[in-house]
Amino acid sequence: MFAFDNSYARLPARFYTRMAPTKVAAPELIALNAPLATELGLNVDALRAAADVFAGNQVPDGAEPLAQLYAGHQFGGWSPQLGDGRAILLGEHVAGDRRVDVQLKGSGPTPYSRRGDGRAALGPVIREYIVSEAMHALGVPTTRALAVASTGETVLRETGPLPGGVLTRIAASHIRVGTFQVFAARDDADALQHLLDHAIARHAPDAEGPMGLLRHVMQAQARLIAQWMGFGFVHGVMNTDNMTISGETIDYGPCAFLEAYHPDTVFSSIDQHGRYAWKNQPDIGLWNLAQLATALLPLMGERTEAVAEATEVLEGFRDLYATAWTEVMTAKIGVPDMQLAMELLAIMAEGQGDFTNTFRALTIAPETARDQVLNRDRFDDWLLRWKAANPDHAAMTRANPAIIPRNHRVEEAIDAAYTGDFAPFHALNAVLDDPWQETEANAPYRSPATAQERVLRTFCGT
Ligand code: AMP
Ligand code: MG
């Protein structure tokens, strides 16, 4: 079924715990991502008949299932041991020159579960499927969703019992900043060296040593976060265990897209101080990268010199980010003038205009963007100067989607799934697959939530 070659399982035994997923009562396949399967050279028909594999009841040939160890800073506080508490890495599927992790999420308890049950409710699994695939369609590096299985079991959450689900996640790897941190915290330089070599081979073959990897991850994360910002994406839980070395977005928990633009927007119910607000994401990115640098220090030679050099390298992040952000925003307004772009954001922040629809209006029928802002005089003045700058319409069309996964639509798909109706989930996935044009099919998905529909708070729900 998969062409496994499991390089992570060849790393030292203290990197993971070998174990199979826990079997569930009644596996059923809810969704299979056929285009992704095809892209990975997999047999779609065989996968369609493999609910047992996607629910964790059958370990496919060649898999060497394991739960990965990692640590991390959660909301700034150090957690010395996290790890896959509800996930099992089946192995690495190799297709041509591409190597991807195949991971089951929601597949039962592991030694890293702490107080959790190792399970996932169907809702968060569906959310991750929808949003990660939408991010991919938008061109944002991300882990992918290959399949959703229901378990026929219920999991107990704050709101009561919910149907359980398992997500099959595909990722360039699941190596996190927190994977380096756990070995640094244990003074295990030998493990760090193994992990460094492994990460460089997989993600940055041209990088030299720890400083080379650090630079590589900085560049990837600067680009990634700039893209998030440009689509109004709020990750919601940018802990160091949720930041990849590959530069892919990972762990779609309480994430959400801005509707009304305000830079301070926070959705996550557990983010009480707004640490992971939309506007803070670049700074948090740098903070996390500083933790990566700290973890790599033992491999960087003489300590004083290493600290000085790492600090200097980290200071480069602001420029890397500024370059990436400028690229994103100047494409969004079609004019290579960052001041003009920032002025538009300031005008938008004054009103309750919709982030996605303001930029899309500007792309398709510029005058109508006026309806999205409060200070119309200021906008009219801006629009005159913008027009005079001869905006590049084609660039704008590629940078400003017609649709994003609006939070109330994601909730609607989840609510229906809980009643056994997966039609809204499939319909939403179908329209999000082509976010770049207005179509009849996506018209209902382009409107912001009404006051009643608005989702103010999001939950990890795991
Ligand atoms: P997250 O904030 O979702 O990235 O998860 C942080 C940590 O909590 C990871 O180590 C997860 O494996 C663990 N975790 C989250 N939910 C559960 C659960 N239901 N059972 C066991 N561990 C969990
Ligand atoms: Mg996580």
Side-chain angles (χ1 to χ4, degrees):
M1 176 172 299
F2 295 100
F4 281 123
D5 172 60
N6 308 317
S7 64
Y8 207 85
R10 295 194 285 270
L11 288 168
R14 58 194 187 283
F15 278 62
Y16 46 74
T17 300
R18 287 183 191 269
M19 59 178 295
T22 307
K23 291 189 170 131
V24 302
E28 245 180 89
L29 190 63
I30 302 300
L32 176 72
N33 189 341
L36 174 60
T38 305
E39 202 182 291
L40 293 172
L42 299 168
N43 181 329
V44 174
D45 292 330
L47 295 189
R48 272 197 217 289
D52 275 359
V53 170
F54 294 123
N57 283 25
Q58 194 199 323
V59 175
D61 287 348
E64 293 172 84
L66 56 85
Q68 291 177 312
L69 170 71
Y70 53 85
H73 280 93
Q74 301 181 300
F75 291 91
W78 172 242
S79 300
Q81 195 197 287
L82 295 168
D84 290 335
R86 55 171 158 166
I88 295 285
L89 176 65
L90 291 177
E92 296 152 41
H93 169 70
V94 178
D97 54 8
R98 207 165 150 197
R99 169 185 295 270
V100 293
D101 277 8
V102 182
Q103 192 206 59
L104 300 183
K105 189 172 172 183
S107 52
T110 76
Y112 315 114
S113 296
R114 293 173 297 159
R115 262 159 294 173
D117 58 5
R119 288 296 176 190
L122 200 50
V125 166
I126 279 178
R127 176 183 291 107
E128 178 155 344
Y129 190 107
I130 295 167
V131 184
S132 66
E133 287 306 302
M135 291 286 265
H136 173 73
L138 290 168
V140 181
T142 175
T143 63
R144 304 287 305 274
L146 180 62
V148 173
S150 61
T151 61
E153 298 176 1
T154 53
V155 295
L156 203 56
R157 294 295 179 261
E158 295 85 0
T159 49
L162 293 170
V166 179
L167 178 78
T168 301
R169 179 158 74 180
I170 301 295
S173 88
H174 284 84
I175 307 168
R176 306 141 192 271
V177 169
T179 319
F180 283 92
Q181 286 182 287
V182 76
F183 297 119
R186 293 178 182 191
D187 286 325
D188 190 343
D190 178 62
L192 275 177
Q193 187 64 53
H194 276 292
L195 184 59
L196 176 70
D197 295 342
H198 178 89
I200 287 179
R202 271 178 98 164
H203 301 302
D206 298 331
E208 276 183 38
M211 211 65 84
L213 183 71
L214 177 63
R215 285 183 204 274
H216 180 91
V217 179
M218 284 171 61
Q219 178 62 262
Q221 288 292 338
R223 289 210 184 102
L224 177 68
I225 296 169
Q227 281 189 283
W228 290 357
M229 300 293 283
F231 291 121
F233 178 74
V234 183
H235 182 283
V237 55
M238 284 179 76
N239 295 335
T240 58
D241 55 302
N242 291 336
M243 184 185 260
T244 58
I245 299 303
S246 67
E248 288 181 340
T249 312
I250 196 170
D251 276 2
Y252 294 85
C255 65
F257 285 79
L258 300 180
E259 291 202 300
Y261 171 68
H262 198 285
D264 297 332
T265 306
V266 177
F267 294 103
S268 171
S269 60
I270 53 171
D271 192 358
Q272 284 164 5
H273 304 287
R275 179 179 171 91
Y276 300 140
W278 178 82
K279 70 168 183 200
N280 290 347
Q281 296 183 114
D283 284 345
I284 292 293
L286 174 56
W287 193 89
N288 289 350
L289 290 161
Q291 308 316 310
L292 176 62
T294 304
L296 289 167
L297 274 179
L299 304 179
M300 288 181 178
E302 199 279 314
R303 181 130 186 133
T304 319
E305 273 174 43
V307 169
E309 199 188 335
T311 306
E312 196 184 311
V313 169
L314 284 168
E315 276 165 4
F317 183 77
R318 295 202 191 277
D319 279 345
L320 291 176
Y321 181 74
T323 304
W325 178 226
T326 300
E327 210 172 289
V328 165
M329 286 309 296
T330 55
K332 283 184 89 69
I333 64 163
V335 174
D337 181 342
M338 202 50 177
Q339 219 165 331
L340 204 60
M342 290 303 105
E343 214 181 314
L344 176 60
L345 285 183
I347 295 169
M348 287 164 62
E350 281 183 79
Q352 291 293 308
D354 183 82
F355 187 84
T356 301
N357 290 355
T358 303
F359 284 105
R360 190 67 188 181
L362 200 62
T363 306
I364 301 299
E367 267 75 23
T368 64
R370 196 173 188 269
D371 305 336
Q372 299 282 343
V373 302
L374 207 59
N375 190 338
R376 305 223 157 138
D377 290 342
R378 195 175 168 199
F379 178 76
D380 291 342
D381 172 70
W382 182 91
L383 196 70
L384 279 179
R385 285 178 287 133
W386 174 75
K387 279 187 180 159
N390 229 338
D392 177 350
H393 178 76
M396 292 178 73
T397 311
R398 288 190 300 268
N400 297 311
I403 57 165
I404 41 111
R406 291 182 183 273
N407 311 321
H408 65 292
R409 289 297 192 175
V410 176
E411 291 306 320
E412 177 185 62
I414 291 171
D415 289 345
Y418 279 144
T419 71
D421 175 11
F422 298 101
F425 168 53
H426 294 306
L428 184 54
N429 288 329
V431 293
L432 289 168
D433 194 43
D434 176 17
W436 299 111
Q437 51 192 330
E438 284 77 8
T439 64
E440 218 169 291
N442 72 25
Y445 297 88
R446 297 200 299 264
S447 321
T450 61
Q452 291 79 25
E453 290 169 333
R454 195 164 299 148
V455 176
L456 295 174
R457 283 279 163 271
T458 55
F459 301 89
C460 277
T462 53

